[in-house]
Amino acid sequence: MSSDGLTTPIQFLKGVGEKRAEELRKIGIETVGDLLEYFPRRYLDRSTILPIAQLEKDQEVTVAGEVVRVERIRRGKPRLIVTIYDRTGMLEAVWFNQIDVFERLFRTGQTVAFSGKIGYYRNWQIVHPDFDILSEEKDPIHTGQIIPVYASTEGLKRLGLSSYGFRKIVHNALERYAEEIKETLPDYLLHKYHLIGRAEAFRQIHFPESRERLNQAYRRFKYEELFFLELLMALRKHYYQSPVMGIPIAVDQKVVDELVARLPFRLTRAQRRVLNEILEDFQRSHPMNRLLQGDVGSGKTVIAWLAMMITVRSGFQAALMAPTEILAQQHFLTLSRLAEGLPVRLALLIGSLPEREKLRIREQLAGGEVDLVVGTHALIQEAVSFARLALVVIDEQHRFGVEQRSTLIQKGKLPHVLVMTATPIPRTLALTLYGDLDVSVIDELPPGRQPVKTYWRTEERLPRILDFIRQQVEHGRQAYVVYPIIEESEKLELKAATEAFQHLQKKVFPAFRLGLLHGRMKMEEKEAVMRRFREGEIQILVSTTVIEVGVDVPNATVMLIEHAERFGLSQLHQLRGRVGRGADQAYCILVTPKDITEVARERMEVMVATTDGFRIAEEDLRLRGSGEFFGTRQHGMPDLRFADLIQDSRVIQAARRDAFALVEQDPHLRQPAHLATRRHFKSAFARKFQMSLIA
């Protein structure tokens, strides 16, 4: 919202004042516009509120009524009982915890709604219900059929507001400023999809006249946020493919053949296809902006190395940014081995290096004395500059925000960009998350690789599993044992890596050489452990999830994951990808307690059923939902408050078609029909994404 009235500081709105404004600012409400975009978290529909006389045991219900008694019971187990009456009967709400807090919230005469499971002990009861204080009046429902419910009653009370009081403030804002809510979508799209206007959508989202009108408001806001997300992608893609010259990289086929011939293995057909797509991009006038998807172990790093070496042989610099120091070091070692004997100067720039060493590398980058640098976030610090950066490679792209990616890109003059991810993403979602990128997929594993055999076992089978690991190590193989936390915790009764390491070394595998790796170790300690594991000196590595990505030890054939129910599907798949990187059969064993949740059980069954990363990603999305699967802030995406990236695939596709068609027709959004869209986009996105996508 950018209209003048909507930027009015919240303290000047009727019913607020400076004291309440100070508290509202703590929850992100600074202006009238912020208040109107503070949408209800749910609604109470009069038609779904059940009369007390019709209650049945074990029902999940919402009941509304007048508070007739607030009673604190001190005998026996202390408890608070709040009794309500709705003209058909009495219902008790009971609290055993935080009695002082809840006792202050309720008083006789209030109208409240309680939600929860019905029980019966002398009277109908709900224990520890969700609740909303609807009004201070006798009238049971004061705003028509559907009542908006904001935040939590406790949170509003801390602001000195009941839910009723907050509704009055929102109502005042709409009465005074609704006419200043400007349309953001072109008229032809409103007509195309029969969408209600933006001002009307705000009225109906806060004070719906009916369920149908509320659905219309949701439908409008859902399309709007997806349309502007896709418009962002379309404009960014246009920006990278505009006539603005990038850095054409000459591709000498003899150099390509020479580099490929140096590899200790043959490229797969999928790798060759992706390499050709990258080389074609290099020779175009606009910068490459490509996403490389590939399952764990598919050989993405080799393709990145070839792209970087071709860049270097053309006289330019290349940079690879990884999310963790251990992964950056792993990449540096791999790339150094592949480049052995070639005229290329490599450097590693990570935060744990001594300041003098970091200064030396920064000076070499700025002076053009380093051709290829591998690093972490240290690469995007202000002090880092490049002489002739032409290619940026970002590994495990989902670990970085868009702004971090943009900061590294701006170290050069429109360099080519290759972002890589081993987290497979279904096509529709890939187009949404990375709609500004061209997508390449390595959908084939290197020859000789066998699928990892995966088993799910409960804890009583652990002795037999440890015997199996013993047999593998006695045959010259290596193993990982992974735990979800570092040290024992009273709150989390999980086996911890440090305690498990001591037990395994002294009691279970005294004849073997064990190592311990976790995130709290110093960088040099981590690297020493990983080097000893790679060289075979350590036979069993006890670790937390710091080994989730990038660790490549072909001789490791067993991955034991304790308390596997504590991990998400994609994380389990990444961990499993640490084994099966050689020619020998590899095994992943998931160990859980007997009693786990139904969702955790489904995750284990999926892991046993398939090693296909794309199928696992789809199941992970189904089980967790898109909001958890993709931290939108982590991706640099706008928060999606109405749309669901899984369920709303048709709306996504429609919004994408419309946004890309608009940009193709009017790339600067200067036509009269698009001026409102342009204003909203510039206010909502331009500053955040650090680039002027529309002049």
Side-chain angles (χ1 to χ4, degrees), residues 316-591:
F316 299 104
Q317 291 171 303
L320 188 157
M321 185 165 70
T324 66
E325 293 199 347
I326 199 165
L327 181 53
Q329 287 192 314
Q330 174 81 25
H331 278 320
F332 181 71
L333 290 171
T334 300
L335 299 180
S336 297
R337 283 197 299 267
L338 290 171
E340 198 170 325
L342 291 173
V344 56
R345 297 163 295 185
L346 285 86
L348 176 68
L349 183 58
I350 54 179
S352 63
L353 289 175
E355 279 303 319
R356 183 177 298 177
E357 179 69 6
K358 285 191 279 192
L359 176 61
R360 184 181 66 81
I361 294 170
R362 287 198 295 263
E363 289 175 347
Q364 290 176 338
L365 284 171
E369 298 169 52
V370 166
D371 303 309
L372 194 165
V373 64
V374 180
T376 55
H377 297 76
L379 288 174
I380 60 176
Q381 291 178 348
E382 193 174 337
V384 177
S385 62
F386 293 81
R388 48 185 184 279
L389 180 64
L391 173 62
V392 168
V393 179
I394 299 176
D395 195 17
E396 292 303 320
Q397 137 74 17
H398 64 287
R399 302 286 190 93
F400 296 102
V402 170
E403 290 184 36
Q404 292 169 315
R405 188 172 103 195
S406 176
T407 301
L408 180 56
I409 292 167
Q410 290 175 21
K411 298 285 184 183
K413 296 179 180 178
L414 290 178
H416 299 278
V417 179
L418 179 67
V419 297
M420 305 193 297
T421 180
T423 302
I425 305 166
R427 177 172 169 76
T428 300
L429 297 179
L431 289 173
T432 303
L433 288 168
Y434 306 113
D436 56 327
L437 307 177
D438 295 310
V439 179
S440 293
V441 180
I442 300 179
D443 50 8
E444 177 181 11
L445 288 177
R449 293 276 180 92
Q450 302 180 56
V452 178
K453 292 185 177 179
T454 305
Y455 302 92
W456 170 32
R457 299 290 183 260
T458 51
E459 290 174 329
E460 67 269 14
R461 300 283 293 275
L462 197 54
R464 291 179 60 182
I465 295 167
L466 296 174
D467 282 342
F468 176 71
I469 291 176
R470 184 179 291 107
Q471 293 167 20
Q472 287 284 306
V473 176
E474 285 172 347
H475 282 86
R477 307 296 171 229
Q478 291 165 275
Y480 298 94
V481 181
V482 177
Y483 295 90
I485 58 176
I486 297 170
E487 295 163 349
E488 286 289 4
S489 163
E490 292 180 5
K491 292 183 179 178
L492 295 173
E493 295 179 359
L494 308 178
K495 293 178 181 176
T498 49
E499 283 74 12
F501 171 73
Q502 296 296 332
H503 172 71
L504 291 173
Q505 180 68 88
K506 293 176 182 177
K507 304 285 186 182
V508 183
F509 302 122
F512 297 150
R513 299 180 301 278
L514 275 66
L516 175 64
L517 187 69
H518 58 73
R520 293 185 191 170
M521 295 168 67
K522 292 180 180 177
M523 196 61 234
E524 56 269 23
E525 294 173 328
K526 291 180 189 174
E527 177 48 34
V529 170
M530 281 310 304
R531 186 183 65 252
R532 291 169 59 208
F533 189 58
R534 280 193 298 268
E535 294 173 355
E537 184 182 338
I538 290 173
Q539 296 166 295
I540 300 173
L541 182 63
V542 180
S543 175
T544 58
T545 56
V546 293
I547 62 153
E548 182 184 342
V549 293
V551 176
D552 186 0
V553 180
N555 192 49
T557 57
V558 184
M559 166 67 66
L560 167 60
I561 305 174
E562 288 248 37
H563 279 285
E565 79 281 0
R566 303 290 301 185
F567 298 92
L569 260 178
S570 290
Q571 196 173 32
L572 288 172
H573 183 58
Q574 289 283 348
L575 287 168
R576 176 169 60 185
R578 298 312 102 211
V579 294
R581 305 178 83 84
D584 296 307
Q585 179 62 60
Y587 307 86
C588 177
I589 305 167
L590 312 171
V591 175

Side-chain angles (χ1 to χ4, degrees), residues 143-191:
T143 61
Q145 296 291 322
I146 301 174
I147 304 170
V149 178
Y150 298 89
S152 69
T153 303
E154 293 171 72
L156 294 175
K157 276 291 183 181
R158 283 195 294 273
L159 301 177
L161 288 169
S162 64
S163 207
Y164 172 77
F166 192 83
R167 278 194 296 276
K168 286 179 70 174
I169 289 175
V170 175
H171 190 266
N172 290 339
L174 280 169
E175 287 284 297
R176 172 69 179 81
Y177 294 105
E179 296 305 317
E180 298 199 38
I181 298 173
K182 303 301 182 187
E183 187 53 69
T184 60
L185 296 172
D187 284 344
Y188 63 84
L189 290 180
L190 295 177
H191 293 308

Side-chain angles (χ1 to χ4, degrees), residues 188 227 230-239 656-669 671 674 677 681 693-694:
Y188 63 84
F227 172 79
E230 295 295 349
L231 184 63
L232 171 67
M233 298 300 171
L235 286 167
R236 276 169 49 183
K237 188 158 191 171
H238 173 79
Y239 177 86
R656 180 176 175 79
R657 281 195 306 269
D658 298 333
F660 275 75
L662 186 155
V663 170
E664 185 175 346
Q665 174 199 353
D666 183 15
H668 298 290
L669 278 61
Q671 294 178 10
H674 302 146
T677 301
F681 180 85
L693 296 175
I694 46 179

Side-chain angles (χ1 to χ4, degrees), residues 75-339:
R75 64 184 181 277
K77 189 170 184 179
R79 58 199 183 277
L80 177 72
I81 300 177
V82 177
T83 305
I84 63 171
Y85 173 66
D86 75 345
R87 295 192 178 92
T88 73
M90 300 277 197
L91 171 71
E92 295 177 349
V94 184
W95 285 269
F96 294 100
N97 302 319
Q98 296 181 287
I99 293 173
D100 291 339
V101 173
F102 292 113
E103 189 175 22
R104 288 195 296 269
L105 293 177
F106 297 103
R107 61 178 179 273
T108 57
Q110 289 173 323
T111 299
V112 300
F114 292 133
S115 300
K117 181 181 283 191
I118 292 294
Y120 192 87
Y121 178 70
R122 293 185 293 197
N123 294 297
W124 291 121
Q125 288 187 342
I126 302 181
V127 177
H128 290 193
D130 289 332
F131 64 91
D132 294 288
I133 298 173
L134 302 179
S135 76
E136 310 297 332
E137 304 170 359
K138 302 292 184 184
D139 183 18
I141 294 179
H142 78 284
T143 61
Q145 296 291 322
I146 301 174
I147 304 170
V149 178
Y150 298 89
S152 69
T153 303
E154 293 171 72
L156 294 175
K157 276 291 183 181
R158 283 195 294 273
L159 301 177
L161 288 169
S162 64
S163 207
Y164 172 77
F166 192 83
R167 278 194 296 276
K168 286 179 70 174
I169 289 175
V170 175
H171 190 266
N172 290 339
L174 280 169
E175 287 284 297
R176 172 69 179 81
Y177 294 105
E179 296 305 317
E180 298 199 38
I181 298 173
K182 303 301 182 187
E183 187 53 69
T184 60
L185 296 172
D187 284 344
Y188 63 84
L189 290 180
L190 295 177
H191 293 308
K192 180 179 180 180
Y193 298 111
H194 307 290
L195 299 174
I196 64 174
R198 197 163 196 255
E200 181 63 13
F202 271 94
R203 290 191 186 95
Q204 296 301 328
I205 207 78
H206 286 289
F207 298 102
E209 296 168 3
S210 65
R211 178 61 63 178
E212 181 184 355
R213 293 296 276 169
L214 177 59
N215 289 340
Q216 288 175 353
Y218 261 83
R219 184 168 170 268
R220 187 253 148 70
F221 282 125
K222 182 182 295 187
Y223 176 84
E224 177 184 302
E225 65 184 9
L226 288 171
F227 172 79
F228 277 99
L229 172 60
E230 295 295 349
L231 184 63
L232 171 67
M233 298 300 171
L235 286 167
R236 276 169 49 183
K237 188 158 191 171
H238 173 79
Y239 177 86
Y240 278 104
Q241 294 185 348
S242 66
V244 177
M245 285 293 290
I247 304 173
I249 295 174
V251 177
D252 185 332
Q253 193 58 46
K254 288 183 180 179
V255 172
V256 176
D257 293 342
E258 174 197 327
L259 291 170
V260 171
R262 287 179 54 86
L263 297 173
F265 45 77
R266 294 182 63 184
L267 294 179
T268 63
R269 282 173 300 179
Q271 286 175 311
R272 286 185 176 276
R273 182 187 70 244
V274 170
L275 178 61
N276 287 334
E277 289 169 351
I278 292 169
L279 298 183
E280 286 175 13
D281 287 346
F282 277 179
Q283 298 172 83
R284 291 181 177 142
S285 59
H286 55 77
M288 174 177 75
N289 202 25
R290 185 168 291 278
L291 168 68
L292 174 53
Q293 284 198 85
D295 215 337
V296 288
S298 61
K300 297 182 299 298
T301 304
V302 170
I303 298 303
W305 177 80
L306 288 168
M308 289 188 288
M309 288 302 301
I310 291 163
T311 301
V312 168
R313 293 288 286 271
S314 295
F316 299 104
Q317 291 171 303
L320 188 157
M321 185 165 70
T324 66
E325 293 199 347
I326 199 165
L327 181 53
Q329 287 192 314
Q330 174 81 25
H331 278 320
F332 181 71
L333 290 171
T334 300
L335 299 180
S336 297
R337 283 197 299 267
L338 290 171

